[in-house]
Amino acid sequence: MATIEIPAADLLKKIYGETTESSARYTNLAVNFQKKYHHDKAEFFTAPGRTEIIGNHVDHNGGQIIAASIDLDTIGAAYPNGTNVIHMISEGYRQEVIVDLDKLSPETYTKGTDALVAGIMEYMKKKGYATGGFDAYVSTKVIAAAGVSSSASFEMLVCAITNYFFNDNKLEYGEYARAGQYAENVYWKKASGLMDQMACAAGGPILLDFSDKENISCEKIAFSFEDMGYRLVIVNTGKGHADLSEEYSSIPMEMREAAKAMGVELLCESNMENLLAHVKDINNDRAILRAMHFYEENRRVADAVKAVENKDGEEFLRLLEESGNSSWEWLQNCYSLQNCKEQKITVSLALTKLFLNKIGAGICRVHGGGFAGVIMCVLPIKDADAYVDYMSEYVGRSNVYPMNIRSTGAVHVG
């Protein structure tokens, strides 16, 4: 059987900025794909993880977010198999994903990766897109349970494969995102939004506007921490989210409670002035604080876009720091009320602030949902290694991840 050729070096250079490590990854992918499925040809795909930069907990009330794809990605080798059954092996997992396209339903596929793939395929069929059976071997560098959307990265890879083989690349990224959201909402019974999927699908730094539920706006912006001389580091504090559903649900519910007092459904339908005029009508003080966070966070996102346009890195970082303080103090998603003695996010932020105060530069903030898991630190590139060493003493080196923003989303590589 002929050796499968991996993507050309110039394509890998464009996506990864190098060819040595990426060539080795795709070569390993090709070998394992051929060994498992016995094809003599393959196509290759990539989908990145994502980071939320500013716009914490606002999407569910029609807010704005700046997010970005990162240089940790999920890659796949795939080829149609001429049947109506999808077969996938994900490196590191023993069980093969098998999805019969003639038997799609949440009752048939009830959990795990099989359910995600089945949900995506059902969405495609309902929207009139073509589907078909294929074989795929998948490998990922997107860390699980670290707030960088490993599941959304996988979902967008499946969408890219389906788009390339069966739909002549006609699907837009918004459809990728909605397919992933459908799979999570309907098959996983998880009330997720679209931010994770949009950031993984579109690639690069993007501005997302959720004020129109039917037409979410996605606009690319020209921004890079590296160009500012800074490095993004994500720290997993080691606490999981499994028992915190009530904490997460309380934020959109309380924001809507404040919105209702103002005579609207979502906060995006009103403004800070109207909120202040109705403070006495809201009996939940935390709902008031969280609504204030929403309006100020939206203002910060708009100001951050202007800072990018003006190439004002200092102002951009100031806004990120202000956003982090608001998430901690007003939004209050840095500790769990269920167990106030366990505050791993709060301690991680405090330790990071001590480090940043010592070097006199950089910012930190809760990353993503908060309450348990992950923080973000942005600091000068020259200090990144020292920060990794410093935080490793607290959370372990395997939980500290320096990373870069990448420009490429979920795509066919070659």
Side-chain angles (χ1 to χ4, degrees):
M1 186 175 289
T3 301
I4 296 175
E5 290 187 13
I6 67 169
D10 59 337
L11 291 174
L12 296 179
K13 180 77 172 179
K14 184 177 180 181
I15 295 172
Y16 298 100
E18 57 79 39
T19 58
T20 303
E21 181 182 346
S22 55
S23 292
R25 288 180 71 205
Y26 280 93
T27 297
N28 180 70
L29 199 70
V31 168
N32 285 307
F33 174 71
Q34 193 167 38
K35 186 184 298 182
K36 173 62 182 177
Y37 293 113
H38 310 295
H39 290 278
D40 59 4
K41 59 179 69 173
E43 300 292 336
F44 297 89
F45 304 83
T46 172
R50 71 100 183 105
T51 180
E52 174 199 289
I53 296 172
I54 186 169
N56 197 208
H57 269 296
V58 298
D59 55 325
H60 44 63
N61 265 260
Q64 294 185 335
I65 296 172
I66 295 176
S69 57
I70 57 174
D71 59 356
L72 303 177
D73 68 341
T74 304
I75 60 175
Y79 208 74
N81 57 28
T83 74
N84 229 21
V85 179
I86 293 170
H87 295 263
M88 301 182 74
I89 287 287
S90 187
E91 204 166 69
Y93 295 89
R94 291 182 180 179
Q95 189 168 348
E96 183 181 29
V97 173
I98 302 175
V99 174
D100 188 332
L101 297 174
D102 294 324
K103 299 178 181 179
L104 299 176
S105 77
E107 292 71 38
T108 303
Y109 299 98
T110 59
K111 60 183 179 179
T113 307
D114 298 60
L116 277 185
V117 175
I120 290 169
M121 293 304 125
E122 183 171 87
Y123 177 89
M124 296 289 187
K125 285 192 169 188
K126 284 188 173 184
K127 291 296 181 177
Y129 299 117
T131 61
F134 60 86
D135 301 324
Y137 190 93
V138 176
S139 176
T140 188
K141 293 181 72 176
V142 184
I143 313 107
V148 289
S149 297
S150 56
S151 57
S153 174
F154 174 81
E155 293 160 19
M156 298 305 96
L157 185 83
V158 172
C159 290
I161 292 170
T162 304
N163 192 22
Y164 178 81
F165 285 135
F166 308 111
N167 292 280
D168 297 321
N169 285 325
K170 293 176 182 176
L171 277 74
E172 296 181 350
Y173 288 135
E175 286 290 69
Y176 282 29
R178 282 183 280 271
Q181 181 192 37
Y182 179 89
E184 294 196 12
N185 290 175
V186 178
Y187 278 70
W188 267 13
K189 306 296 189 290
K190 178 182 176 184
S192 59
L194 282 168
M195 189 268 286
D196 293 355
Q197 286 83 1
M198 285 297 293
C200 294
I206 54 174
L207 170 65
L208 294 166
D209 187 334
F210 293 89
S211 57
D212 183 346
K213 290 184 287 187
E214 300 303 320
N215 296 288
I216 295 168
S217 171
C218 177
E219 176 185 342
K220 290 207 174 190
I221 56 177
F223 162 75
S224 166
F225 284 123
E226 295 74 44
D227 290 346
M228 296 164 50
Y230 282 76
R231 171 60 54 85
L232 170 66
V233 183
I234 299 295
V235 179
N236 187 350
T237 69
K239 169 65 177 173
H241 302 82
D243 58 347
L244 295 171
S245 295
E246 186 176 341
E247 300 280 15
Y248 292 118
S249 298
S250 71
I251 293 180
M253 288 171 60
E254 290 183 358
M255 285 186 177
R256 287 169 186 159
E257 182 182 339
K260 185 177 180 181
M262 293 187 285
V264 295
E265 181 184 355
L266 300 176
L267 290 178
C268 67
E269 297 165 357
S270 191
N271 53 48
M272 179 71 88
E273 290 72 21
N274 196 21
L275 172 66
L276 297 177
H278 286 83
V279 163
K280 292 182 180 179
D281 302 324
I282 304 170
N283 296 322
N284 182 341
D285 291 336
R286 194 172 67 173
I288 296 170
L289 286 170
R290 286 175 163 173
M292 287 179 172
H293 166 83
F294 174 91
Y295 290 122
E296 282 293 275
E297 192 74 337
N298 261 10
R299 187 265 307 166
R300 280 186 284 267
V301 170
D303 289 348
V305 172
K306 292 178 184 176
V308 169
E309 293 171 350
N310 296 332
K311 301 187 184 304
D312 189 344
E314 185 176 334
E315 172 66 2
F316 190 88
L317 289 179
R318 186 193 70 77
L319 290 164
L320 259 64
E321 183 170 44
E322 193 178 274
S323 169
N325 291 337
S326 180
S327 293
W328 192 339
E329 297 165 7
W330 293 11
L331 186 64
Q332 299 183 27
N333 69 328
C334 290
Y335 58 91
S336 168
L337 295 178
Q338 295 179 27
N339 187 357
C340 290
K341 290 183 179 180
E342 187 178 87
Q343 298 187 27
K344 291 192 179 298
I345 270 198
T346 317
V347 172
S348 296
L349 287 169
L351 287 168
T352 299
K353 280 186 175 289
L354 289 175
F355 182 91
L356 298 179
N357 289 342
K358 186 176 180 179
I359 66 174
I363 64 96
C364 64
R365 53 156 291 175
V366 62
H367 185 262
F371 293 120
V374 185
I375 71 166
M376 166 201 289
C377 178
V378 180
L379 73 168
I381 292 173
K382 64 181 179 63
D383 298 304
D385 289 342
Y387 175 69
V388 171
D389 292 339
Y390 172 81
M391 286 304 292
S392 295
E393 291 295 317
Y394 175 61
V395 300
R397 185 169 291 273
S398 62
N399 289 318
V400 187
Y401 315 106
M403 58 188 65
N404 298 314
I405 293 173
R406 88 171 200 180
S407 59
T408 310
V411 294
H412 170 239
V413 183

